[in-house]
Amino acid sequence: MNPMNRLELYTEMVRIRQYESRILQEYHGDKAPAWDIGAGLIPGEMHLSAGQEPAAVGVCAHLKKGDAITAPHRPHHFALAHGVDMNAMTAEIYGRTTGLCKGKGGHMHLFDPENHFSCSGIIAQGYPVACGQALAMKRRGTDNVAIAVAGEGAANQGAFHESLNLAAVWNLPVVFVIEDNDWAISVPRSDSTATTSNADRAAGYGIPGVRVENNDVEAVFEAAGAAVDRARAGEGPSLIEVHTLRLWGHFEGDAQAYRTDLETVDERDPIPRYAQALLASGDLVEEQVQQIAEAADAEVDAAIQFSLNSPIPAAEDALLHVFA
Amino acid sequence: MTATETPTRRITTAKAMAEAIGLEMRADPDVFVMGEDVGAYGGIFGSTTDLFAEFGADRVIDTPISETGFIGAGIGAAVEGLRPVVELMFVDFYGVCMDQISNHMAKIHYESGGAVKVPMVLMAATGAGYSDAAQHSQCLWGTFAHLPGMKVVVPSNPYDAKGLMASAIRDDNPVIFLFHKGAQGLVWMEKNPRSIAHVPEEAFTVPIGEAAIAREGSDVTIVTLSLSVQHSLDVAEELEGEGISVEIVDLRSLVPLDRQTVLDSVAKTGKLLVVDEDYKSFGLTGEIAAIVAETDPTMLKKPVKRLAVPDVPIPYARSLEYGILPTRERIAAAVKDLMA
Amino acid sequence: MHESSTVGIIANPASARDIRRIVADGGSVTTHDKLSRLRRVMSGLGSVGVRRVISMADRGGIMAGLLRASAGVSAKGWPTLEFVEQPVTHSPEDTTTATRAMVEAGVGSLVVLGGDGTNRLVASHSAETPLVSMSTGTNNAFPRPVEATVAGMAAGLVATSEGCRDAGTYRAKKLEVRAGDRLEQALVDVAISEDGSVGSGALWDVADLSELFLCFAEPGSIGLSAIGAHMQTSSRRSKTGLHLVLSPQSPTRVLAPIGPGLVSAVGVQSASVLEAGARQDPRSPRGVIAIDGERMVPFGPGNRPSVTLRTNGPVVVDVEATLHAASSEGLLRSVARGSPLDDNSNTRTKKQTAEPWEVST
């Protein structure tokens, strides 16, 4: 891997983390003193992706124009890594007319047709849609790929299994990405899943299945690169399960009393660990650490300002867009 | 109509649907079909007859029995700009794939603030009358019409089936196309002769959202759809001999619903019977009655009558099944009640 | 029969899932396949008189499945199943903790399901306990192909019979790697790659390799050791290893199966015998050290590595040799009195004594 790649992977992870950290701050900022999930400038459920940056960054580093992603309810990292405009995405989270969806979608339902990016808040249900996108790419003879992202909890849904089978039987250019963050809200994977790895399940459909341990961005980068190349070459689907980390709660406001691994969470944070590795290898120098963080902060700050300055949709606009 | 055609070109509703799909496929390479047994079999209820032979397995795709998977794949293909025609074999199977239908197909355009279109047709067989019992006999169009974001098209005859299918495929919205098995003109099922009728050979459209006056009359309005239109026409012919003039409004689609045609007819006759093979409560019959009540209840000379499946699952034994369906006899009796 | 009829089991729940499923034709060994192999091992162990098994715990379903199975009707004659009391961390530590505990408990042998990597971890703490290594990894040189039932029988025979242990085991070699304050060991190969990234670990591209140190080089193997085998063979039972300097420009090229479905032509500049105890200093100034095919230790001028071959590796069970020993000792043969094969009697009577493989309690 060349030094440029490494620096890019690091920079993108920091950019996403900075984004999630600021959203976290803004989200909670005006919900005090009595915490009300529906109050504030960013209302509603909020599922932040801190800790899971390696999956998004390692995968999206291989994508090009026309490649599609279906993301789940925790979508920000994949959206940003895939090039979704930060201003429009943030404005959507703030429910403004300038948002990706003019304030109709919110943070779990981000749609960016320009980048072929979409989310679904229903577990595993983005998988079949990604298969259809891959089917369209294949029918049109492009070498584009569709990336279907979901968590390990999603792999117990029928939609997951139907999709793997469809993709295999139709040899679709799709890469299934499972972000195994160990927790399906409060249920650990060992209580929900009859196999140690969803790579096993891929094998059941004749699809190559890989598990990437340690939440390692370079390992994801390599595995995803191989899977994407394979799909582009017409060799069919692959599955990559990334053992990642949910650094924060399932949603903001989740006290995580059920969680038995909280003590070690901070030491497993992939970003400081990667920074240390790059500093040690000389791919990153101290001054850059600060510069990268500041650049990310400035970008996020501008996106938040853009959102705050954007109009709030008129109530009657709720009646628009049911049909084309 | 071209000179080579004659009004004697009579085809079944099933064939008319397949013809429309075939014409659209010839005209637009982005149109393709997928579903269970749509290929060599031609669709269990004939909706894809002969398409496989012409277009091959690339464009007429047999799917695994995997409705969530392939309906979701239809959505994915549609958001990428293709125009899939997807068949759900029986509408009753909606339970295994309703998330894709309701939460995805129907909502993506709205959720995206209009940024993403889902130009997809989801067709499914509906209806009872041949002892297929509770899980293979429902209509359920009221269920789909209740959930925002899908057009719901319900043809009653071969001509409309062809024209509405063409419109559905060209529509930029998701369209649920519900055809009644008993109106398909299948050789292996009892059928009303109205299921085989003249249909022009060339492509044409019937606009979605316009009800048809299936028969003009002056005494009673029957608002109905699908196979019940055929039954109502039979009844109207019969009652004509008794001096009762029945007007029949064939809704043809529930979403959009042509309220004006309903209101105009009721304004003319002052008597309204709504006939529906779907469940009675919280459904189409109540909706039509409400539209009249909300607009001008004084146009009614008699209280509205509703004839629908009385909120029970569809039973198996013929005696039981026909004990709850809106049969010709029940339609005739209801009309006579209104005339009494 | 030996009184020590306890055997340890270590099954790596994570093996056979790395990137070589995509970049090569690596197969899958699913949780359920691992479980079925363990069930066969249990039958094999029980059949030769092993009464107790201590296993590494996991939370991935292998051991839960084995525990369920051991309570079921199909578990007739199986040893009892116990687990090492240990926190499950889903890390290599699980393996080393379990190994230490089993060695302390005095198990007669250790059955290892995993690849070269799992065996390496076990071997680092197995001391004098013989290992029965079954490959559930991707491409392994250290574990030999072996049927699980037979492996279970061999593990049991080694644990319960001195004769089998003497005839069926040998001491393997290992390569010791030092880099800065890190000390690692390899059971098969140490490779120096000039591309400094660890990436996804598994090594499948030989283009960047500059040097190879091999414990053995057998032509029937798959993996990096096969490169050496076609320069100069070196048996896993010999006292020496092999050292190769690789160079893409070299006129000498070796065709070797590097990974599943991957046969590469590798330029070899030199091949020389690696003597035990002689410290070697790789030439590259920076890069990454791959241990048994796994990129693990990045190095640079600050932690230049050294590699040394040692002859005090783990004690390893040769399954074939063990069963040969059992055969020549007649351990799995019982002749009823009166049978035509009975040398002592030709009278037809019911057998009186226990079968030779039954351990009296």
Side-chain angles (χ1 to χ4, degrees), chain C residues 251-327:
Chain C
T252 307
R253 299 181 75 74
V254 164
L255 194 63
I258 304 302
L262 293 174
V263 184
S264 302
V266 184
V268 181
Q269 198 175 307
S270 68
S272 52
V273 170
L274 185 58
E275 298 292 347
R279 176 190 147 135
Q280 305 286 320
D281 298 323
R283 298 152 194 212
S284 305
R286 62 177 73 247
V288 68
I289 307 165
I291 292 180
D292 292 334
E294 195 83 7
R295 287 168 287 168
M296 275 175 53
V297 186
F299 68 91
N303 63 338
R304 289 289 290 270
S306 68
V307 181
T308 312
L309 181 73
R310 303 284 183 198
T311 51
N312 59 344
V315 178
V316 173
V317 176
D318 180 330
V319 170
E320 193 101 339
T322 304
L323 284 145
H324 268 286
S327 170

Coordinates of all heavy atoms in Angstrom, one line a residue, chain C residues 251-327:
Chain C
P251 N 17.7 -15.5 -12.8 CA 17.4 -16.4 -13.9 C 16.9 -17.8 -13.4 O 16.3 -18.5 -14.2 CB 18.8 -16.6 -14.5 CG 19.8 -16.2 -13.5 CD 19.1 -15.2 -12.6
T252 N 17.0 -18.1 -12.1 CA 16.5 -19.3 -11.6 C 15.1 -19.1 -11.1 O 14.9 -18.2 -10.2 CB 17.3 -19.8 -10.4 OG1 18.7 -19.9 -10.8 CG2 16.9 -21.2 -9.9
R253 N 14.2 -19.8 -11.6 CA 12.8 -19.6 -11.2 C 12.2 -20.9 -10.8 O 12.5 -22.0 -11.4 CB 12.0 -19.0 -12.4 CG 12.5 -17.6 -12.8 CD 11.7 -17.0 -14.0 NE 10.5 -16.5 -13.5 CZ 10.3 -15.3 -12.8 NH1 11.4 -14.7 -12.5 NH2 9.2 -14.9 -12.5
V254 N 11.3 -20.8 -9.8 CA 10.7 -22.0 -9.2 C 9.2 -21.8 -9.3 O 8.6 -20.8 -9.0 CB 11.1 -22.2 -7.8 CG1 10.2 -23.1 -7.0 CG2 12.6 -22.6 -7.7
L255 N 8.6 -22.9 -9.8 CA 7.1 -22.9 -9.9 C 6.6 -23.5 -8.6 O 6.9 -24.7 -8.4 CB 6.7 -23.7 -11.1 CG 5.2 -23.5 -11.6 CD1 4.9 -22.1 -12.0 CD2 4.9 -24.5 -12.8
A256 N 5.8 -22.8 -7.9 CA 5.4 -23.4 -6.6 C 3.9 -22.9 -6.3 O 3.5 -21.8 -6.6 CB 6.3 -22.9 -5.5
P257 N 3.2 -23.9 -5.6 CA 1.8 -23.5 -5.2 C 1.9 -22.6 -3.9 O 2.2 -23.1 -2.9 CB 1.2 -24.9 -4.9 CG 2.3 -25.8 -4.5 CD 3.5 -25.2 -5.3
I258 N 1.6 -21.4 -4.1 CA 1.8 -20.4 -3.0 C 0.5 -20.4 -2.1 O 0.6 -20.2 -0.9 CB 2.0 -19.0 -3.5 CG1 3.2 -19.0 -4.5 CG2 2.2 -18.0 -2.4 CD1 4.5 -19.5 -3.9
G259 N -0.6 -20.5 -2.8 CA -1.8 -20.5 -2.0 C -2.9 -21.3 -2.8 O -2.6 -21.8 -3.9
P260 N -4.1 -21.3 -2.3 CA -5.1 -22.1 -2.9 C -5.4 -21.6 -4.3 O -5.9 -20.5 -4.5 CB -6.3 -22.0 -2.0 CG -6.0 -20.8 -1.1 CD -4.6 -20.7 -1.1
G261 N -5.1 -22.4 -5.3 CA -5.3 -22.0 -6.7 C -4.2 -21.1 -7.3 O -4.3 -20.6 -8.4
L262 N -3.2 -20.7 -6.5 CA -2.2 -19.8 -6.9 C -0.9 -20.5 -7.1 O -0.3 -20.9 -6.1 CB -2.0 -18.7 -5.8 CG -3.1 -17.7 -5.6 CD1 -2.8 -16.8 -4.4 CD2 -3.4 -16.9 -6.8
V263 N -0.5 -20.7 -8.3 CA 0.8 -21.3 -8.6 C 1.7 -20.2 -9.2 O 1.3 -19.6 -10.3 CB 0.7 -22.5 -9.5 CG1 2.1 -23.1 -9.7 CG2 -0.3 -23.5 -8.9
S264 N 2.8 -19.8 -8.5 CA 3.6 -18.7 -9.0 C 5.0 -19.2 -9.4 O 5.5 -20.1 -8.8 CB 3.7 -17.6 -7.9 OG 2.5 -17.2 -7.5
A265 N 5.5 -18.4 -10.4 CA 7.0 -18.6 -10.7 C 7.7 -17.6 -9.9 O 7.5 -16.4 -10.0 CB 7.2 -18.5 -12.2
V266 N 8.6 -18.1 -9.0 CA 9.3 -17.2 -8.1 C 10.8 -17.2 -8.5 O 11.4 -18.3 -8.6 CB 9.1 -17.6 -6.7 CG1 9.8 -16.7 -5.7 CG2 7.7 -17.8 -6.4
G267 N 11.4 -16.0 -8.6 CA 12.8 -15.9 -8.9 C 13.6 -16.2 -7.6 O 13.4 -15.5 -6.6
V268 N 14.5 -17.2 -7.7 CA 15.4 -17.5 -6.5 C 16.8 -17.2 -6.8 O 17.4 -17.8 -7.7 CB 15.2 -19.0 -6.1 CG1 16.0 -19.3 -4.8 CG2 13.7 -19.3 -5.8
Q269 N 17.4 -16.4 -6.0 CA 18.8 -16.0 -6.2 C 19.7 -17.0 -5.6 O 20.8 -17.4 -6.1 CB 19.0 -14.6 -5.6 CG 20.3 -13.9 -6.1 CD 20.3 -12.5 -5.5 OE1 19.3 -11.7 -5.6 NE2 21.4 -12.2 -4.8
S270 N 19.4 -17.5 -4.4 CA 20.2 -18.5 -3.7 C 19.4 -19.3 -2.7 O 18.4 -18.8 -2.3 CB 21.4 -17.8 -3.0 OG 20.9 -17.1 -1.9
A271 N 19.9 -20.5 -2.5 CA 19.2 -21.4 -1.5 C 20.4 -22.0 -0.7 O 21.3 -22.6 -1.3 CB 18.4 -22.4 -2.2
S272 N 20.3 -21.9 0.6 CA 21.3 -22.6 1.4 C 20.7 -23.2 2.6 O 19.7 -22.8 3.1 CB 22.4 -21.5 1.8 OG 21.7 -20.4 2.4
V273 N 21.4 -24.2 3.1 CA 21.0 -24.9 4.3 C 21.0 -23.9 5.5 O 22.0 -23.2 5.6 CB 21.9 -26.1 4.6 CG1 21.5 -26.7 5.9 CG2 21.7 -27.2 3.5
L274 N 20.0 -24.0 6.3 CA 19.9 -23.1 7.5 C 20.2 -24.0 8.7 O 19.5 -25.0 9.0 CB 18.5 -22.6 7.5 CG 18.1 -21.6 8.6 CD1 19.0 -20.3 8.5 CD2 16.7 -21.2 8.5
E275 N 21.4 -23.7 9.3 CA 21.8 -24.6 10.4 C 21.1 -24.1 11.7 O 20.8 -22.9 11.9 CB 23.3 -24.4 10.6 CG 24.2 -24.9 9.5 CD 24.1 -26.5 9.2 OE1 23.6 -27.2 10.1 OE2 24.5 -26.9 8.2
A276 N 20.7 -25.1 12.5 CA 20.1 -24.7 13.8 C 21.0 -23.8 14.6 O 22.2 -24.1 14.6 CB 19.7 -26.0 14.5
G277 N 20.5 -22.8 15.2 CA 21.3 -22.0 16.2 C 22.0 -20.9 15.5 O 22.5 -20.0 16.2
A278 N 22.1 -20.9 14.2 CA 22.8 -19.8 13.5 C 21.9 -18.6 13.2 O 21.0 -18.8 12.4 CB 23.4 -20.4 12.2
R279 N 22.2 -17.5 13.8 CA 21.4 -16.4 13.7 C 21.5 -15.7 12.3 O 22.6 -15.6 11.8 CB 21.8 -15.3 14.8 CG 21.1 -14.0 14.7 CD 21.8 -13.0 15.6 NE 21.7 -11.7 15.0 CZ 21.3 -10.6 15.7 NH1 21.1 -10.7 17.0 NH2 21.3 -9.5 15.1
Q280 N 20.4 -15.4 11.7 CA 20.4 -14.8 10.3 C 19.8 -13.4 10.4 O 18.8 -13.2 11.1 CB 19.5 -15.6 9.4 CG 19.8 -17.1 9.3 CD 21.1 -17.4 8.5 OE1 21.3 -16.7 7.5 NE2 21.9 -18.3 9.0
D281 N 20.4 -12.5 9.7 CA 19.9 -11.1 9.6 C 19.4 -10.8 8.3 O 20.2 -10.7 7.3 CB 21.0 -10.1 10.0 CG 21.5 -10.4 11.5 OD1 20.7 -10.7 12.3 OD2 22.7 -10.3 11.7
P282 N 18.1 -10.7 8.1 CA 17.6 -10.4 6.8 C 18.2 -9.1 6.2 O 18.6 -8.2 7.0 CB 16.1 -10.2 7.0 CG 15.8 -11.0 8.3 CD 17.1 -10.9 9.1
R283 N 18.3 -9.0 4.9 CA 19.0 -7.9 4.3 C 18.2 -6.6 4.1 O 18.8 -5.5 4.1 CB 19.5 -8.3 2.9 CG 20.4 -9.5 2.9 CD 20.4 -10.4 1.7 NE 21.0 -11.7 2.0 CZ 21.7 -12.4 1.1 NH1 21.7 -12.0 -0.2 NH2 22.2 -13.5 1.4
S284 N 16.9 -6.8 4.0 CA 16.1 -5.6 3.7 C 16.1 -4.6 4.9 O 16.0 -5.0 6.0 CB 14.7 -6.0 3.4 OG 14.6 -6.9 2.4
P285 N 16.3 -3.3 4.6 CA 16.4 -2.4 5.7 C 15.0 -2.1 6.3 O 14.9 -1.7 7.5 CB 16.9 -1.1 5.0 CG 16.5 -1.2 3.6 CD 16.5 -2.7 3.3
R286 N 13.9 -2.3 5.5 CA 12.6 -2.1 6.1 C 11.6 -3.0 5.4 O 11.8 -3.4 4.2 CB 12.2 -0.6 6.0 CG 12.1 0.0 4.6 CD 11.6 1.4 4.7 NE 12.6 2.4 5.2 CZ 12.5 3.0 6.3 NH1 11.4 2.8 7.1 NH2 13.4 3.8 6.7
G287 N 10.5 -3.2 6.0 CA 9.5 -4.1 5.4 C 8.6 -4.7 6.4 O 8.4 -4.1 7.5
V288 N 8.1 -5.8 6.1 CA 7.2 -6.5 7.1 C 7.6 -8.0 7.1 O 8.0 -8.5 6.1 CB 5.7 -6.3 6.8 CG1 5.3 -7.0 5.5 CG2 4.8 -6.7 7.9
I289 N 7.6 -8.5 8.3 CA 7.9 -10.0 8.5 C 6.6 -10.7 8.5 O 5.7 -10.4 9.2 CB 8.6 -10.2 9.8 CG1 9.8 -9.3 9.9 CG2 9.0 -11.7 9.9 CD1 10.4 -9.3 11.4
A290 N 6.5 -11.7 7.6 CA 5.4 -12.6 7.6 C 5.7 -13.9 8.3 O 6.8 -14.5 8.0 CB 4.9 -12.9 6.2
I291 N 4.9 -14.3 9.2 CA 5.2 -15.5 10.0 C 4.2 -16.6 9.7 O 3.0 -16.3 9.8 CB 5.3 -15.2 11.5 CG1 6.5 -14.3 11.7 CG2 5.3 -16.4 12.3 CD1 6.7 -13.8 13.1
D292 N 4.7 -17.7 9.1 CA 3.8 -18.7 8.7 C 2.7 -18.1 7.7 O 1.5 -18.4 7.9 CB 3.1 -19.5 9.8 CG 4.2 -20.3 10.6 OD1 5.2 -20.7 10.0 OD2 4.0 -20.6 11.8
G293 N 3.1 -17.3 6.8 CA 2.2 -16.8 5.8 C 1.3 -15.6 6.2 O 0.4 -15.2 5.5
E294 N 1.6 -15.1 7.4 CA 0.8 -14.0 8.0 C 1.6 -12.8 8.2 O 2.6 -12.8 9.0 CB 0.2 -14.5 9.3 CG -0.9 -13.8 9.9 CD -2.3 -14.2 9.4 OE1 -2.3 -15.2 8.6 OE2 -3.2 -13.5 9.7
R295 N 1.4 -11.7 7.5 CA 2.1 -10.5 7.7 C 1.9 -10.0 9.1 O 0.7 -9.7 9.4 CB 1.7 -9.4 6.6 CG 2.2 -9.7 5.2 CD 1.6 -8.8 4.2 NE 0.2 -9.2 4.0 CZ -0.7 -8.5 3.3 NH1 -0.3 -7.3 2.8 NH2 -1.9 -8.9 3.1
M296 N 2.9 -9.8 9.8 CA 2.7 -9.5 11.3 C 3.5 -8.4 11.8 O 3.1 -7.6 12.6 CB 3.0 -10.8 12.1 CG 1.8 -11.7 12.2 SD 2.2 -13.2 13.1 CE 2.8 -12.6 14.6
V297 N 4.8 -8.4 11.5 CA 5.7 -7.4 12.2 C 6.4 -6.5 11.2 O 7.2 -6.8 10.4 CB 6.8 -8.2 12.9 CG1 7.7 -7.3 13.8 CG2 6.3 -9.3 13.8
P298 N 5.9 -5.2 11.2 CA 6.6 -4.2 10.4 C 8.0 -3.9 11.0 O 8.1 -3.9 12.2 CB 5.7 -3.0 10.4 CG 4.5 -3.4 11.2 CD 4.8 -4.6 12.0
F299 N 9.0 -3.7 10.2 CA 10.3 -3.3 10.7 C 10.9 -2.3 9.9 O 10.6 -2.1 8.7 CB 11.1 -4.6 10.9 CG 11.6 -5.2 9.6 CD1 12.8 -4.8 9.0 CD2 10.8 -6.1 8.9 CE1 13.2 -5.3 7.7 CE2 11.2 -6.6 7.7 CZ 12.4 -6.2 7.1
G300 N 11.9 -1.6 10.5 CA 12.7 -0.6 9.9 C 14.0 -0.6 10.5 O 14.4 -1.5 11.3
P301 N 14.8 0.5 10.3 CA 16.1 0.5 10.9 C 16.1 0.4 12.4 O 17.0 -0.1 13.0 CB 16.6 1.9 10.4 CG 15.8 2.3 9.2 CD 14.5 1.6 9.4
G302 N 15.0 0.9 13.0 CA 14.9 0.9 14.5 C 14.7 -0.5 15.1 O 14.9 -0.7 16.3
N303 N 14.2 -1.4 14.3 CA 13.9 -2.8 14.8 C 14.3 -3.9 13.8 O 13.5 -4.7 13.4 CB 12.5 -2.9 15.3 CG 11.5 -2.8 14.2 OD1 11.8 -2.2 13.2 ND2 10.3 -3.3 14.4
R304 N 15.5 -3.8 13.4 CA 16.0 -4.8 12.4 C 15.8 -6.2 13.0 O 16.2 -6.5 14.1 CB 17.5 -4.6 12.0 CG 17.7 -3.3 11.2 CD 17.2 -3.4 9.7 NE 18.0 -4.4 9.0 CZ 19.0 -4.0 8.2 NH1 19.4 -2.8 8.2 NH2 19.7 -4.9 7.5
P305 N 15.2 -7.1 12.2 CA 15.0 -8.4 12.7 C 16.1 -9.4 12.6 O 17.0 -9.2 11.8 CB 13.8 -8.9 11.9 CG 13.9 -8.2 10.6 CD 14.7 -6.9 10.8
S306 N 16.0 -10.5 13.4 CA 16.9 -11.6 13.2 C 16.1 -12.9 13.2 O 15.1 -12.9 13.8 CB 18.0 -11.7 14.2 OG 17.5 -12.0 15.5
V307 N 16.6 -13.9 12.5 CA 15.9 -15.2 12.5 C 16.8 -16.3 12.8 O 17.9 -16.4 12.3 CB 15.3 -15.4 11.0 CG1 14.5 -16.7 10.9 CG2 14.5 -14.2 10.6
T308 N 16.4 -17.2 13.7 CA 17.2 -18.4 14.1 C 16.4 -19.6 14.1 O 15.3 -19.7 14.6 CB 17.8 -18.1 15.5 OG1 18.3 -16.8 15.6 CG2 18.8 -19.2 15.9
L309 N 17.0 -20.7 13.5 CA 16.3 -22.0 13.5 C 16.6 -22.7 14.8 O 17.7 -22.7 15.2 CB 16.8 -22.8 12.3 CG 16.2 -24.2 12.2 CD1 14.7 -24.1 11.7 CD2 17.0 -25.1 11.3
R310 N 15.5 -23.3 15.4 CA 15.7 -24.0 16.6 C 15.2 -25.4 16.4 O 14.2 -25.6 15.7 CB 14.9 -23.4 17.8 CG 15.3 -21.9 18.0 CD 16.6 -21.8 18.8 NE 16.9 -20.4 19.1 CZ 18.2 -20.0 19.4 NH1 19.2 -20.8 19.4 NH2 18.4 -18.7 19.7
T311 N 15.8 -26.4 17.1 CA 15.3 -27.8 17.0 C 14.4 -28.1 18.2 O 13.9 -29.3 18.3 CB 16.5 -28.7 16.9 OG1 17.3 -28.4 18.0 CG2 17.2 -28.6 15.6
N312 N 14.1 -27.2 19.0 CA 13.2 -27.5 20.2 C 11.8 -27.0 20.0 O 11.2 -26.4 20.9 CB 13.8 -27.0 21.5 CG 14.0 -25.4 21.4 OD1 13.9 -24.9 20.3 ND2 14.2 -24.8 22.5
G313 N 11.2 -27.3 18.8 CA 9.9 -26.9 18.6 C 8.9 -27.9 19.3 O 9.3 -28.6 20.2
P314 N 7.7 -27.8 19.0 CA 6.7 -28.6 19.7 C 6.8 -30.1 19.4 O 7.4 -30.5 18.4 CB 5.3 -28.1 19.1 CG 5.7 -27.5 17.8 CD 7.1 -27.0 17.9
V315 N 6.3 -30.9 20.3 CA 6.2 -32.3 20.0 C 4.9 -32.6 19.2 O 3.9 -32.1 19.5 CB 6.1 -33.1 21.4 CG1 5.9 -34.6 21.1 CG2 7.3 -32.8 22.2
V316 N 5.1 -33.3 18.1 CA 4.1 -33.4 17.1 C 3.7 -34.9 16.9 O 4.6 -35.7 16.9 CB 4.5 -32.8 15.8 CG1 3.5 -33.1 14.7 CG2 4.8 -31.3 15.9
V317 N 2.4 -35.1 16.8 CA 1.9 -36.5 16.5 C 1.9 -36.7 15.0 O 1.2 -36.0 14.3 CB 0.5 -36.7 17.2 CG1 0.0 -38.1 16.8 CG2 0.6 -36.5 18.7
D318 N 2.5 -37.8 14.6 CA 2.4 -38.3 13.2 C 1.3 -39.3 13.3 O 1.4 -40.4 13.8 CB 3.7 -38.9 12.8 CG 3.6 -39.4 11.3 OD1 2.5 -39.8 10.9 OD2 4.7 -39.4 10.7
V319 N 0.1 -38.9 12.8 CA -1.1 -39.7 12.9 C -0.9 -41.1 12.3 O -1.2 -42.2 12.9 CB -2.3 -39.0 12.3 CG1 -3.5 -40.0 12.3 CG2 -2.7 -37.8 13.2
E320 N -0.3 -41.1 11.2 CA -0.1 -42.4 10.4 C 0.8 -43.3 11.3 O 0.5 -44.5 11.5 CB 0.6 -42.0 9.1 CG 0.6 -43.2 8.1 CD -0.5 -43.0 7.1 OE1 -1.5 -42.3 7.3 OE2 -0.4 -43.7 6.1
A321 N 1.9 -42.7 11.7 CA 2.9 -43.5 12.5 C 2.3 -44.0 13.8 O 2.6 -45.1 14.2 CB 4.1 -42.7 12.8
T322 N 1.4 -43.2 14.4 CA 0.8 -43.6 15.6 C -0.1 -44.8 15.4 O -0.1 -45.8 16.2 CB -0.1 -42.5 16.2 OG1 0.7 -41.3 16.3 CG2 -0.7 -42.8 17.5
L323 N -0.9 -44.8 14.3 CA -1.7 -45.9 14.0 C -1.0 -47.2 13.6 O -1.4 -48.3 13.9 CB -2.8 -45.5 13.1 CG -3.9 -44.7 13.8 CD1 -4.5 -43.6 13.0 CD2 -4.9 -45.5 14.5
H324 N 0.2 -46.9 13.0 CA 1.1 -48.1 12.7 C 1.5 -48.7 13.9 O 1.5 -50.0 14.1 CB 2.3 -47.6 11.9 CG 2.1 -47.7 10.4 ND1 2.1 -48.8 9.7 CD2 1.9 -46.7 9.5 CE1 1.9 -48.6 8.4 NE2 1.7 -47.3 8.2
A325 N 1.9 -47.9 14.9 CA 2.3 -48.4 16.2 C 1.2 -49.2 16.9 O 1.4 -50.3 17.4 CB 2.8 -47.3 17.1
A326 N 0.0 -48.6 16.8 CA -1.1 -49.3 17.4 C -1.4 -50.7 16.7 O -1.7 -51.6 17.3 CB -2.4 -48.4 17.3
S327 N -1.2 -50.7 15.4 CA -1.4 -51.9 14.7 C -0.4 -52.9 15.1 O -0.7 -54.1 15.4 CB -1.3 -51.6 13.2 OG -1.2 -52.8 12.4

